[in-house]
Amino acid sequence: MLITFSDFTSIPVFWLQIALALPAEGIAAIWVLLILLIAGVVNRFADKPEIVRKIVHIGTGNVILIAWWLDIPASVGITASILASAITLLSYRLPILPGINSVGRQSLGTFFYSVSFGILVAWFWYLQQPHYAALGILVMTWGDGLAALIGQRFGKHKYKVFGTEKSWEGSLTMMLVGYVVSSLILVGTQGNSWQTWAISLIVAVIATALEAVSFLGIDNLTVPLGSAALAFFLSNLVLSY
């Protein structure tokens, strides 16, 4: 029997027992399960597929903070990314996660979202600088997520990039949120300096440009990877002087 998204509202007790048995990993697992539960309830009682998708998009993205702060091993994040990527690919053919993928347009965004998580964890956990992975994921999670919601609700001034319609209101939201996220992480880890604020601004501008080019949901890969890589290389360039 196929598992539908609404089935996530019935969380098996043994999953919670497993989660509680692993302190750091358990907290991350419980967080993800909670987000899926909330999204499942919304999906069941409201016909708002885009809202459901953004609940999952924004909510699960924050697990990167738990992984960073609790020093969860890279192997856990990479394994979770591989499993999530496989499930999302399968869900494009089978109705496993209709609440996430049924957004009325052709998109591989959910798959790219899962892949980006694994790449960033593998890259920056290896370098022992996980805050860059968190920066990349959260710029996408909060920036792209809120940009879509604001753009749909208040976007009056439209523009097109490669046939994809965007709004200036959404793009400005993306830039502002990207700047706030980048600043909070970089100032918190590298100190308060004009160089840090400048790097955050550059990251926000480039992330917004990458989000604008979002055919097939590719921005869920380019935004986190581009943001993290740019912040990493610019920071290392500045710190080397």
Side-chain angles (χ1 to χ4, degrees):
M1 180 183 296
L2 293 176
I3 300 174
T4 63
F5 190 79
S6 61
D7 291 328
F8 283 117
T9 58
S10 300
I11 304 299
V13 173
F14 76 90
W15 278 115
L16 294 178
Q17 292 174 337
I18 292 175
L20 291 171
L22 302 171
E25 293 86 345
I27 293 174
I30 289 172
W31 175 262
V32 173
L33 291 173
L34 177 61
I35 295 301
L36 292 176
L37 174 63
I38 294 171
V41 171
V42 174
N43 185 62
R44 173 171 291 182
F45 293 104
D47 185 20
K48 300 286 186 180
E50 187 66 19
I51 297 296
V52 171
R53 184 171 178 269
K54 293 309 176 185
I55 289 174
V56 176
H57 181 90
I58 295 175
T60 57
N62 289 286
V63 77
I64 192 68
L65 291 175
I66 299 174
W68 170 23
W69 294 340
L70 299 182
D71 195 26
I72 291 176
S75 59
V76 175
I78 294 170
T79 300
S81 171
I82 293 172
L83 291 174
S85 299
I87 291 172
T88 53
L89 275 182
L90 185 61
S91 74
Y92 291 115
R93 291 291 183 182
L94 301 173
I96 299 176
L97 305 174
I100 296 178
N101 293 322
S102 299
V103 295
R105 62 179 183 273
Q106 185 179 16
S107 173
L108 293 172
T110 310
F111 170 70
F112 289 136
Y113 181 82
S114 303
V115 171
S116 65
F117 194 98
I119 293 174
L120 288 177
V121 168
W123 182 2
F124 290 107
W125 256 248
Y126 173 77
L127 296 177
Q128 297 184 343
Q129 295 184 321
H131 58 282
Y132 290 113
L135 184 151
I137 293 295
L138 293 179
V139 166
M140 174 190 67
T141 293
W142 285 99
D144 178 61
L146 292 178
L149 294 176
I150 295 297
Q152 290 171 12
R153 179 65 178 85
F154 302 104
K156 305 298 183 182
H157 303 87
K158 307 292 186 180
Y159 67 94
K160 285 189 176 182
V161 179
F162 297 128
T164 301
E165 187 175 81
K166 298 285 183 176
S167 72
W168 286 109
E169 291 83 356
S171 292
L172 288 174
T173 299
M174 174 71 189
M175 187 180 300
L176 176 60
V177 174
Y179 181 64
V180 170
V181 168
S182 299
S183 297
L184 287 173
I185 292 177
L186 294 181
V187 170
T189 56
Q190 297 174 183
N192 185 8
S193 68
W194 72 266
Q195 292 95 333
T196 299
W197 295 101
I199 291 172
S200 298
L201 180 59
I202 294 171
V203 169
V205 171
I206 297 302
T208 302
L210 291 173
E211 192 274 336
V213 184
S214 57
F215 58 93
L216 295 179
I218 192 67
D219 57 317
N220 279 354
L221 184 65
T222 58
V223 168
L225 296 186
S227 299
L230 187 59
F232 172 72
F233 288 118
L234 289 178
S235 296
N236 279 274
L237 180 64
V238 169
L239 294 175
S240 65
Y241 285 98

